[in-house]
Amino acid sequence: MFTKYVFRGDGEPVQLSSSWEPLALTRGTPVVLPEDGPHAGRGVVERMRQIGVNITHAAEAVSARQVLAEEASALDIAPGAIVLTIERTYYADARPVETADIVIPVDRHQVVYGTSIWDKPQ
């Protein structure tokens, strides 16, 4: 399933995302359409949990490049502007269950990351 998003803040476009989820996993389930149905808009972790798929981790590749013409138009930024790109893949163990290509204008926004540190009982 392929879905395109334009995220807005204060009415302005702030981020683009193109998302792919395997229909082999979601076809015939209530989560097949990410933005429709009983679990619409709840995010991939919660939606997958609804069909018995436990997301265990995510991986991201972060880079920067010049914006593409279609992206510049959607983000209302100048051609040639620099954007941050994030390729994020969510996994259930070794199986990828969603990949998203995210595009963020670097002159408007800062991306902040955090991690959880889990201390396993001994």
Side-chain angles (χ1 to χ4, degrees), residues 24 38 50 71 80 83 107 114 121:
Q50 297 301 316
E71 296 166 341
V83 291
D107 64 336

Side-chain angles (χ1 to χ4, degrees), residues 1 3 9 14 17 23 40 50 55 64 75 104 112:
M1 174 61 61
T3 310
V14 297
S17 180
L23 283 173
Q50 297 301 316
I55 293 180
L75 289 167
I104 303 168
V112 178

Side-chain angles (χ1 to χ4, degrees), residues 46-69:
E46 185 175 337
R47 288 178 42 258
M48 292 298 165
R49 188 177 299 128
Q50 297 301 316
I51 61 170
V53 176
N54 181 41
I55 293 180
T56 56
H57 63 286
E60 294 185 340
V62 181
S63 191
R65 61 167 167 74
Q66 286 188 323
V67 69
L68 304 176

Side-chain angles (χ1 to χ4, degrees), residues 2 15 17-18 26 29 31 35 38 42 44 50 56 65 68-69 76 80 83 87 94 103 105 109 113-115 120-121:
F2 175 68
Q15 175 181 311
S17 180
S18 298
T26 62
T29 73
V31 302
E35 299 303 321
R42 294 203 179 156
V44 68
Q50 297 301 316
T56 56
R65 61 167 167 74
L68 304 176
D76 195 25
V83 291
E87 181 183 297
V103 178
H109 306 285
Y113 283 87
T115 59
K120 291 184 178 183

